[in-house]
Amino acid sequence: MTASSLKVYRRELPGCFVVHLQVSLAGAQERATTRPVYLTDQEFVVLHDMIATPPAADLFIDTERMSLEHQLREIRNAWHST
């Protein structure tokens, strides 16, 4: 998500809750090895660099060492506390 697309979400869905799931480049590359490949290595790095400074989300979660279940639990807890 970019800052400009976030503005659209905030305008069109005023009650939306935006979560930024953060992971290092190395962590993202490791996870990518378990999925079909659609990007070149260079494209992958460029995409990751583009989100190095993410727009203002309601919640940032460092998912580096989290299982999917743990990530979901964190999001649910945050959602229910809003």
Side-chain angles (χ1 to χ4, degrees), residues 40-66:
T40 66
D41 290 343
Q42 183 180 6
E43 289 169 331
F44 194 93
V45 171
V46 168
L47 180 61
H48 196 271
D49 287 347
M50 285 174 59
I51 60 168
T53 306
D58 299 305
L59 176 66
F60 286 83
I61 300 176
D62 183 350
T63 64
E64 191 76 25
R65 291 176 174 59
M66 284 185 177

PDB file of all heavy atoms in Angstrom, residues 40-66:
ATOM      1  N   THR A  40      11.383 -11.329 -10.505  1.00  0.00           N
ATOM      2  CA  THR A  40      12.822 -11.583 -10.534  1.00  0.00           C
ATOM      3  C   THR A  40      13.388 -11.183  -9.167  1.00  0.00           C
ATOM      4  O   THR A  40      12.726 -10.487  -8.389  1.00  0.00           O
ATOM      5  CB  THR A  40      13.518 -10.749 -11.624  1.00  0.00           C
ATOM      6  OG1 THR A  40      13.413  -9.355 -11.262  1.00  0.00           O
ATOM      7  CG2 THR A  40      12.918 -11.004 -13.001  1.00  0.00           C
ATOM      8  N   ASP A  41      14.611 -11.601  -8.876  1.00  0.00           N
ATOM      9  CA  ASP A  41      15.247 -11.221  -7.617  1.00  0.00           C
ATOM     10  C   ASP A  41      15.328  -9.703  -7.498  1.00  0.00           C
ATOM     11  O   ASP A  41      15.076  -9.143  -6.431  1.00  0.00           O
ATOM     12  CB  ASP A  41      16.642 -11.834  -7.504  1.00  0.00           C
ATOM     13  CG  ASP A  41      16.598 -13.338  -7.319  1.00  0.00           C
ATOM     14  OD1 ASP A  41      15.528 -13.873  -6.954  1.00  0.00           O
ATOM     15  OD2 ASP A  41      17.645 -13.984  -7.527  1.00  0.00           O
ATOM     16  N   GLN A  42      15.673  -9.041  -8.599  1.00  0.00           N
ATOM     17  CA  GLN A  42      15.781  -7.579  -8.585  1.00  0.00           C
ATOM     18  C   GLN A  42      14.422  -6.931  -8.333  1.00  0.00           C
ATOM     19  O   GLN A  42      14.320  -5.982  -7.546  1.00  0.00           O
ATOM     20  CB  GLN A  42      16.375  -7.074  -9.891  1.00  0.00           C
ATOM     21  CG  GLN A  42      16.568  -5.568  -9.902  1.00  0.00           C
ATOM     22  CD  GLN A  42      17.163  -5.063 -11.207  1.00  0.00           C
ATOM     23  OE1 GLN A  42      17.346  -5.808 -12.157  1.00  0.00           O
ATOM     24  NE2 GLN A  42      17.458  -3.780 -11.252  1.00  0.00           N
ATOM     25  N   GLU A  43      13.372  -7.423  -8.985  1.00  0.00           N
ATOM     26  CA  GLU A  43      12.030  -6.871  -8.769  1.00  0.00           C
ATOM     27  C   GLU A  43      11.596  -7.053  -7.316  1.00  0.00           C
ATOM     28  O   GLU A  43      10.969  -6.171  -6.729  1.00  0.00           O
ATOM     29  CB  GLU A  43      11.021  -7.553  -9.697  1.00  0.00           C
ATOM     30  CG  GLU A  43      11.167  -7.183 -11.151  1.00  0.00           C
ATOM     31  CD  GLU A  43      10.339  -8.059 -12.065  1.00  0.00           C
ATOM     32  OE1 GLU A  43      10.077  -9.240 -11.724  1.00  0.00           O
ATOM     33  OE2 GLU A  43       9.953  -7.564 -13.141  1.00  0.00           O
ATOM     34  N   PHE A  44      11.941  -8.192  -6.749  1.00  0.00           N
ATOM     35  CA  PHE A  44      11.589  -8.478  -5.355  1.00  0.00           C
ATOM     36  C   PHE A  44      12.228  -7.458  -4.426  1.00  0.00           C
ATOM     37  O   PHE A  44      11.575  -6.910  -3.536  1.00  0.00           O
ATOM     38  CB  PHE A  44      12.046  -9.901  -4.999  1.00  0.00           C
ATOM     39  CG  PHE A  44      11.454 -10.429  -3.732  1.00  0.00           C
ATOM     40  CD1 PHE A  44      10.289 -11.186  -3.761  1.00  0.00           C
ATOM     41  CD2 PHE A  44      12.055 -10.185  -2.509  1.00  0.00           C
ATOM     42  CE1 PHE A  44       9.738 -11.684  -2.589  1.00  0.00           C
ATOM     43  CE2 PHE A  44      11.506 -10.673  -1.332  1.00  0.00           C
ATOM     44  CZ  PHE A  44      10.348 -11.421  -1.375  1.00  0.00           C
ATOM     45  N   VAL A  45      13.512  -7.171  -4.636  1.00  0.00           N
ATOM     46  CA  VAL A  45      14.231  -6.198  -3.803  1.00  0.00           C
ATOM     47  C   VAL A  45      13.643  -4.802  -3.986  1.00  0.00           C
ATOM     48  O   VAL A  45      13.419  -4.079  -3.009  1.00  0.00           O
ATOM     49  CB  VAL A  45      15.742  -6.212  -4.122  1.00  0.00           C
ATOM     50  CG1 VAL A  45      16.458  -5.061  -3.427  1.00  0.00           C
ATOM     51  CG2 VAL A  45      16.357  -7.541  -3.708  1.00  0.00           C
ATOM     52  N   VAL A  46      13.361  -4.424  -5.226  1.00  0.00           N
ATOM     53  CA  VAL A  46      12.785  -3.100  -5.493  1.00  0.00           C
ATOM     54  C   VAL A  46      11.433  -2.965  -4.800  1.00  0.00           C
ATOM     55  O   VAL A  46      11.152  -1.939  -4.158  1.00  0.00           O
ATOM     56  CB  VAL A  46      12.647  -2.850  -7.012  1.00  0.00           C
ATOM     57  CG1 VAL A  46      11.781  -1.628  -7.301  1.00  0.00           C
ATOM     58  CG2 VAL A  46      14.021  -2.702  -7.651  1.00  0.00           C
ATOM     59  N   LEU A  47      10.596  -3.995  -4.891  1.00  0.00           N
ATOM     60  CA  LEU A  47       9.286  -3.955  -4.237  1.00  0.00           C
ATOM     61  C   LEU A  47       9.441  -3.811  -2.729  1.00  0.00           C
ATOM     62  O   LEU A  47       8.756  -3.007  -2.095  1.00  0.00           O
ATOM     63  CB  LEU A  47       8.496  -5.209  -4.574  1.00  0.00           C
ATOM     64  CG  LEU A  47       7.104  -5.317  -3.967  1.00  0.00           C
ATOM     65  CD1 LEU A  47       6.222  -4.171  -4.438  1.00  0.00           C
ATOM     66  CD2 LEU A  47       6.479  -6.648  -4.329  1.00  0.00           C
ATOM     67  N   HIS A  48      10.347  -4.564  -2.147  1.00  0.00           N
ATOM     68  CA  HIS A  48      10.568  -4.475  -0.703  1.00  0.00           C
ATOM     69  C   HIS A  48      11.086  -3.091  -0.314  1.00  0.00           C
ATOM     70  O   HIS A  48      10.658  -2.523   0.689  1.00  0.00           O
ATOM     71  CB  HIS A  48      11.533  -5.569  -0.237  1.00  0.00           C
ATOM     72  CG  HIS A  48      11.511  -5.770   1.240  1.00  0.00           C
ATOM     73  ND1 HIS A  48      12.325  -5.070   2.096  1.00  0.00           N
ATOM     74  CD2 HIS A  48      10.752  -6.574   2.013  1.00  0.00           C
ATOM     75  CE1 HIS A  48      12.074  -5.447   3.332  1.00  0.00           C
ATOM     76  NE2 HIS A  48      11.125  -6.353   3.314  1.00  0.00           N
ATOM     77  N   ASP A  49      11.980  -2.541  -1.112  1.00  0.00           N
ATOM     78  CA  ASP A  49      12.504  -1.195  -0.839  1.00  0.00           C
ATOM     79  C   ASP A  49      11.406  -0.128  -0.923  1.00  0.00           C
ATOM     80  O   ASP A  49      11.440   0.860  -0.191  1.00  0.00           O
ATOM     81  CB  ASP A  49      13.631  -0.840  -1.802  1.00  0.00           C
ATOM     82  CG  ASP A  49      14.925  -1.582  -1.500  1.00  0.00           C
ATOM     83  OD1 ASP A  49      15.033  -2.183  -0.404  1.00  0.00           O
ATOM     84  OD2 ASP A  49      15.823  -1.568  -2.367  1.00  0.00           O
ATOM     85  N   MET A  50      10.431  -0.343  -1.816  1.00  0.00           N
ATOM     86  CA  MET A  50       9.345   0.624  -1.983  1.00  0.00           C
ATOM     87  C   MET A  50       8.514   0.751  -0.714  1.00  0.00           C
ATOM     88  O   MET A  50       7.935   1.805  -0.457  1.00  0.00           O
ATOM     89  CB  MET A  50       8.435   0.206  -3.145  1.00  0.00           C
ATOM     90  CG  MET A  50       9.023   0.454  -4.509  1.00  0.00           C
ATOM     91  SD  MET A  50       7.992  -0.209  -5.834  1.00  0.00           S
ATOM     92  CE  MET A  50       6.456   0.662  -5.575  1.00  0.00           C
ATOM     93  N   ILE A  51       8.453  -0.300   0.076  1.00  0.00           N
ATOM     94  CA  ILE A  51       7.641  -0.257   1.294  1.00  0.00           C
ATOM     95  C   ILE A  51       8.500  -0.106   2.543  1.00  0.00           C
ATOM     96  O   ILE A  51       8.030  -0.323   3.657  1.00  0.00           O
ATOM     97  CB  ILE A  51       6.724  -1.497   1.405  1.00  0.00           C
ATOM     98  CG1 ILE A  51       7.536  -2.779   1.428  1.00  0.00           C
ATOM     99  CG2 ILE A  51       5.695  -1.503   0.298  1.00  0.00           C
ATOM    100  CD1 ILE A  51       6.761  -4.009   1.807  1.00  0.00           C
ATOM    101  N   ALA A  52       9.747   0.283   2.367  1.00  0.00           N
ATOM    102  CA  ALA A  52      10.647   0.465   3.512  1.00  0.00           C
ATOM    103  C   ALA A  52      10.126   1.548   4.452  1.00  0.00           C
ATOM    104  O   ALA A  52      10.329   1.486   5.662  1.00  0.00           O
ATOM    105  CB  ALA A  52      12.053   0.794   3.034  1.00  0.00           C
ATOM    106  N   THR A  53       9.456   2.537   3.901  1.00  0.00           N
ATOM    107  CA  THR A  53       8.826   3.583   4.704  1.00  0.00           C
ATOM    108  C   THR A  53       7.331   3.519   4.417  1.00  0.00           C
ATOM    109  O   THR A  53       6.838   4.187   3.507  1.00  0.00           O
ATOM    110  CB  THR A  53       9.384   4.970   4.346  1.00  0.00           C
ATOM    111  OG1 THR A  53      10.804   4.948   4.457  1.00  0.00           O
ATOM    112  CG2 THR A  53       8.815   6.040   5.255  1.00  0.00           C
ATOM    113  N   PRO A  54       6.622   2.700   5.173  1.00  0.00           N
ATOM    114  CA  PRO A  54       5.199   2.512   4.883  1.00  0.00           C
ATOM    115  C   PRO A  54       4.359   3.702   5.309  1.00  0.00           C
ATOM    116  O   PRO A  54       4.779   4.494   6.168  1.00  0.00           O
ATOM    117  CB  PRO A  54       4.836   1.280   5.726  1.00  0.00           C
ATOM    118  CG  PRO A  54       5.804   1.319   6.858  1.00  0.00           C
ATOM    119  CD  PRO A  54       7.078   1.906   6.294  1.00  0.00           C
ATOM    120  N   PRO A  55       3.170   3.837   4.724  1.00  0.00           N
ATOM    121  CA  PRO A  55       2.264   4.904   5.147  1.00  0.00           C
ATOM    122  C   PRO A  55       1.746   4.623   6.560  1.00  0.00           C
ATOM    123  O   PRO A  55       1.901   3.521   7.085  1.00  0.00           O
ATOM    124  CB  PRO A  55       1.135   4.840   4.118  1.00  0.00           C
ATOM    125  CG  PRO A  55       1.181   3.462   3.567  1.00  0.00           C
ATOM    126  CD  PRO A  55       2.607   3.019   3.656  1.00  0.00           C
ATOM    127  N   ALA A  56       1.132   5.608   7.157  1.00  0.00           N
ATOM    128  CA  ALA A  56       0.653   5.504   8.532  1.00  0.00           C
ATOM    129  C   ALA A  56      -0.483   4.493   8.647  1.00  0.00           C
ATOM    130  O   ALA A  56      -1.598   4.739   8.202  1.00  0.00           O
ATOM    131  CB  ALA A  56       0.193   6.870   9.022  1.00  0.00           C
ATOM    132  N   ALA A  57      -0.183   3.359   9.235  1.00  0.00           N
ATOM    133  CA  ALA A  57      -1.189   2.331   9.478  1.00  0.00           C
ATOM    134  C   ALA A  57      -1.694   2.467  10.908  1.00  0.00           C
ATOM    135  O   ALA A  57      -1.112   3.178  11.724  1.00  0.00           O
ATOM    136  CB  ALA A  57      -0.579   0.949   9.256  1.00  0.00           C
ATOM    137  N   ASP A  58      -2.783   1.775  11.194  1.00  0.00           N
ATOM    138  CA  ASP A  58      -3.323   1.779  12.554  1.00  0.00           C
ATOM    139  C   ASP A  58      -2.537   0.836  13.460  1.00  0.00           C
ATOM    140  O   ASP A  58      -2.517   1.009  14.673  1.00  0.00           O
ATOM    141  CB  ASP A  58      -4.793   1.367  12.529  1.00  0.00           C
ATOM    142  CG  ASP A  58      -5.625   2.324  11.706  1.00  0.00           C
ATOM    143  OD1 ASP A  58      -5.578   3.531  11.990  1.00  0.00           O
ATOM    144  OD2 ASP A  58      -6.298   1.870  10.764  1.00  0.00           O
ATOM    145  N   LEU A  59      -1.909  -0.155  12.856  1.00  0.00           N
ATOM    146  CA  LEU A  59      -1.152  -1.145  13.606  1.00  0.00           C
ATOM    147  C   LEU A  59       0.005  -1.634  12.758  1.00  0.00           C
ATOM    148  O   LEU A  59      -0.163  -1.919  11.572  1.00  0.00           O
ATOM    149  CB  LEU A  59      -2.062  -2.324  13.974  1.00  0.00           C
ATOM    150  CG  LEU A  59      -1.438  -3.519  14.674  1.00  0.00           C
ATOM    151  CD1 LEU A  59      -0.937  -3.130  16.066  1.00  0.00           C
ATOM    152  CD2 LEU A  59      -2.437  -4.662  14.771  1.00  0.00           C
ATOM    153  N   PHE A  60       1.187  -1.705  13.358  1.00  0.00           N
ATOM    154  CA  PHE A  60       2.364  -2.281  12.715  1.00  0.00           C
ATOM    155  C   PHE A  60       2.721  -3.543  13.476  1.00  0.00           C
ATOM    156  O   PHE A  60       2.830  -3.517  14.707  1.00  0.00           O
ATOM    157  CB  PHE A  60       3.548  -1.315  12.759  1.00  0.00           C
ATOM    158  CG  PHE A  60       3.420  -0.162  11.809  1.00  0.00           C
ATOM    159  CD1 PHE A  60       2.692   0.958  12.146  1.00  0.00           C
ATOM    160  CD2 PHE A  60       4.028  -0.209  10.561  1.00  0.00           C
ATOM    161  CE1 PHE A  60       2.553   2.020  11.278  1.00  0.00           C
ATOM    162  CE2 PHE A  60       3.894   0.854   9.672  1.00  0.00           C
ATOM    163  CZ  PHE A  60       3.165   1.962  10.040  1.00  0.00           C
ATOM    164  N   ILE A  61       2.913  -4.634  12.747  1.00  0.00           N
ATOM    165  CA  ILE A  61       3.295  -5.897  13.378  1.00  0.00           C
ATOM    166  C   ILE A  61       4.557  -6.411  12.698  1.00  0.00           C
ATOM    167  O   ILE A  61       4.573  -6.615  11.479  1.00  0.00           O
ATOM    168  CB  ILE A  61       2.181  -6.958  13.249  1.00  0.00           C
ATOM    169  CG1 ILE A  61       0.896  -6.472  13.925  1.00  0.00           C
ATOM    170  CG2 ILE A  61       2.637  -8.278  13.860  1.00  0.00           C
ATOM    171  CD1 ILE A  61      -0.276  -7.423  13.763  1.00  0.00           C
ATOM    172  N   ASP A  62       5.588  -6.618  13.488  1.00  0.00           N
ATOM    173  CA  ASP A  62       6.813  -7.221  12.979  1.00  0.00           C
ATOM    174  C   ASP A  62       6.589  -8.725  12.958  1.00  0.00           C
ATOM    175  O   ASP A  62       6.530  -9.375  14.001  1.00  0.00           O
ATOM    176  CB  ASP A  62       8.001  -6.869  13.875  1.00  0.00           C
ATOM    177  CG  ASP A  62       9.312  -7.420  13.358  1.00  0.00           C
ATOM    178  OD1 ASP A  62       9.307  -8.233  12.402  1.00  0.00           O
ATOM    179  OD2 ASP A  62      10.359  -7.048  13.916  1.00  0.00           O
ATOM    180  N   THR A  63       6.437  -9.283  11.771  1.00  0.00           N
ATOM    181  CA  THR A  63       6.080 -10.691  11.620  1.00  0.00           C
ATOM    182  C   THR A  63       7.288 -11.597  11.431  1.00  0.00           C
ATOM    183  O   THR A  63       7.129 -12.783  11.151  1.00  0.00           O
ATOM    184  CB  THR A  63       5.139 -10.872  10.419  1.00  0.00           C
ATOM    185  OG1 THR A  63       5.836 -10.505   9.219  1.00  0.00           O
ATOM    186  CG2 THR A  63       3.880 -10.050  10.573  1.00  0.00           C
ATOM    187  N   GLU A  64       8.474 -11.052  11.583  1.00  0.00           N
ATOM    188  CA  GLU A  64       9.715 -11.781  11.287  1.00  0.00           C
ATOM    189  C   GLU A  64       9.736 -13.183  11.891  1.00  0.00           C
ATOM    190  O   GLU A  64      10.078 -14.146  11.235  1.00  0.00           O
ATOM    191  CB  GLU A  64      10.907 -10.970  11.787  1.00  0.00           C
ATOM    192  CG  GLU A  64      12.250 -11.488  11.324  1.00  0.00           C
ATOM    193  CD  GLU A  64      12.534 -11.152   9.871  1.00  0.00           C
ATOM    194  OE1 GLU A  64      11.982 -10.170   9.348  1.00  0.00           O
ATOM    195  OE2 GLU A  64      13.325 -11.885   9.257  1.00  0.00           O
ATOM    196  N   ARG A  65       9.387 -13.290  13.153  1.00  0.00           N
ATOM    197  CA  ARG A  65       9.480 -14.580  13.831  1.00  0.00           C
ATOM    198  C   ARG A  65       8.116 -15.098  14.292  1.00  0.00           C
ATOM    199  O   ARG A  65       8.026 -15.887  15.213  1.00  0.00           O
ATOM    200  CB  ARG A  65      10.431 -14.471  15.016  1.00  0.00           C
ATOM    201  CG  ARG A  65      11.867 -14.278  14.576  1.00  0.00           C
ATOM    202  CD  ARG A  65      12.807 -14.061  15.735  1.00  0.00           C
ATOM    203  NE  ARG A  65      14.211 -14.010  15.384  1.00  0.00           N
ATOM    204  CZ  ARG A  65      14.806 -13.181  14.572  1.00  0.00           C
ATOM    205  NH1 ARG A  65      14.092 -12.309  13.912  1.00  0.00           N
ATOM    206  NH2 ARG A  65      16.100 -13.191  14.351  1.00  0.00           N
ATOM    207  N   MET A  66       7.079 -14.628  13.638  1.00  0.00           N
ATOM    208  CA  MET A  66       5.720 -15.023  14.017  1.00  0.00           C
ATOM    209  C   MET A  66       5.167 -16.063  13.064  1.00  0.00           C
ATOM    210  O   MET A  66       5.332 -15.951  11.853  1.00  0.00           O
ATOM    211  CB  MET A  66       4.770 -13.824  13.973  1.00  0.00           C
ATOM    212  CG  MET A  66       4.874 -12.871  15.087  1.00  0.00           C
ATOM    213  SD  MET A  66       3.536 -11.648  14.874  1.00  0.00           S
ATOM    214  CE  MET A  66       3.781 -10.679  16.316  1.00  0.00           C
TER     215      MET A  66
END
